[in-house]
Amino acid sequence: MNTYASGLAGGALIGLSVALLMLLNGRIAGISGLVAGLGRDRGLRRWVDTAFVAGLIAGPAVFALITGAWPTMRFVAGLPILVVAGLLVGFGTRLGSGCTSGHGVAGLARLSPRSLAAVLTFLGSGMLTVALLRALV
Amino acid sequence: MTTALRLLAALAAGLTFGLGLSLSGMLDPARVQGFLDVTGAFDGREAWDPTLAFVLGGAVSVAGLGYALARRLPRPAFAPAFDLPTNRRIDRPLIGGAALFGIGWGLSGLCPGPAVAALSTGALPVAVFVAAMLVGMMAHHRFAARA
């Protein structure tokens, strides 16, 4: 399967996950929100969100079992840059109430203008960052 | 009974998400950064990688169908009510937060979903990124409590 076809098929699976979590449990599948909630929520909600995150982490391992190969990962930054990037992603996704899944997939699927504004902003700042990185480094 | 089904549904949805990310190629930071690298295409240094647009298109289409169906239902199958965001304001925290997130995303080619899913690969860079991300989230929690 070429990369565009597997991208589309993988995307459809992500969309199916987002749809299932809403239809079955009534929840938005926003990864940054779910992960942040693990440290705050109590009771059943915490267990349910833990189950989702456990399934998410198991995903690449199950993929490796099925296909015989782990998904390709080519890192583009060293550890110091990854620390800075991680801090920005953690703080930014909480301040902006979502990331590529919550705003990008779930928000756009709900036709939310707020999510569209967030998506255009993080795509824009991401593209600007890479352009600067290419120009300077 | 409903509690067990709810846990199972969350686990299945999480697994489906992780499989989808793996199949889509979005666990690969170079591919994600290749999508954000729009100027690379202009100066011919390297080809722009449009894969992320296919992933997002596929995901939004299928999720949109599911959400359209959800709007016709009185409640989700295993929970008392749909839990939807009520904030509709496009304000400074939204835009500022998204802008900061985009910078980190561009620098690393990683966002929360792929980074957390890829913890199972055991790759050190992923663990370092996720640890920093959790610290960033906790920092926001303190910042928000003070503001």
Side-chain angles (χ1 to χ4, degrees):
Chain A
M1 196 158 28
N2 78 41
T3 44
Y4 302 158
S6 52
L8 199 60
L13 276 178
I14 294 170
L16 177 67
S17 160
V18 170
L20 283 176
L21 200 65
M22 182 57 68
L23 288 165
L24 301 178
N25 287 1
R27 293 291 301 280
I28 297 266
I31 310 300
S32 55
L34 286 171
V35 168
L38 294 185
R40 263 198 330 270
D41 293 337
R42 295 289 176 266
L44 179 60
R45 193 180 175 104
R46 187 177 201 172
W47 286 103
V48 173
D49 291 355
T50 302
F52 182 93
V53 174
L56 176 68
I57 296 174
V62 173
F63 179 85
L65 279 175
I66 295 170
T67 66
W70 287 88
T72 305
M73 292 194 84
R74 295 164 296 168
F75 294 97
V76 295
L79 294 185
I81 298 291
L82 285 176
V83 169
V84 174
L87 290 170
L88 286 167
V89 169
F91 191 90
T93 53
R94 294 318 299 142
L95 183 63
S97 317
C99 58
T100 13
S101 50
H103 283 311
V105 180
L108 294 186
R110 289 178 67 218
L111 306 175
S112 156
R114 184 172 146 85
S115 287
L116 179 62
V119 171
L120 293 176
T121 304
F122 62 64
L123 277 176
S125 82
M127 287 174 174
L128 194 65
T129 300
V130 177
L132 285 172
L133 211 58
R134 293 284 185 269
L136 298 174
V137 181
Chain B
M1 185 61 191
T2 318
T3 303
L5 287 172
R6 203 153 139 197
L7 284 165
L8 205 61
L11 184 68
L15 183 63
T16 306
F17 204 113
L19 283 171
L21 281 172
S22 304
L23 178 61
S24 72
M26 291 299 103
L27 292 190
D28 183 4
R31 192 168 283 289
V32 173
Q33 203 183 48
F35 174 81
L36 296 173
D37 188 10
V38 281
T39 54
F42 287 115
D43 60 19
R45 229 177 20 244
E46 52 194 300
W48 177 61
D49 188 332
T51 310
L52 192 147
F54 284 85
V55 179
L56 193 61
V60 172
S61 307
V62 176
L65 288 175
Y67 281 12
L69 179 61
R71 268 192 287 275
R72 293 162 182 269
L73 300 173
R75 44 169 283 189
F78 309 137
F82 291 110
D83 185 1
L84 295 168
T86 51
N87 186 354
R88 301 185 60 83
R89 286 176 50 207
I90 297 173
D91 50 17
R92 283 171 68 165
L94 178 82
I95 301 301
L100 289 177
F101 161 48
I103 296 171
W105 191 34
L107 285 175
S108 62
L110 286 166
C111 56
V116 171
L119 284 172
S120 55
T121 67
L124 176 69
V126 171
V128 169
F129 177 88
V130 170
M133 184 181 88
L134 294 177
V135 171
M137 286 177 167
M138 286 187 273
H140 174 264
H141 193 58
R142 292 217 166 173
F143 166 82
R146 240 187 325 167

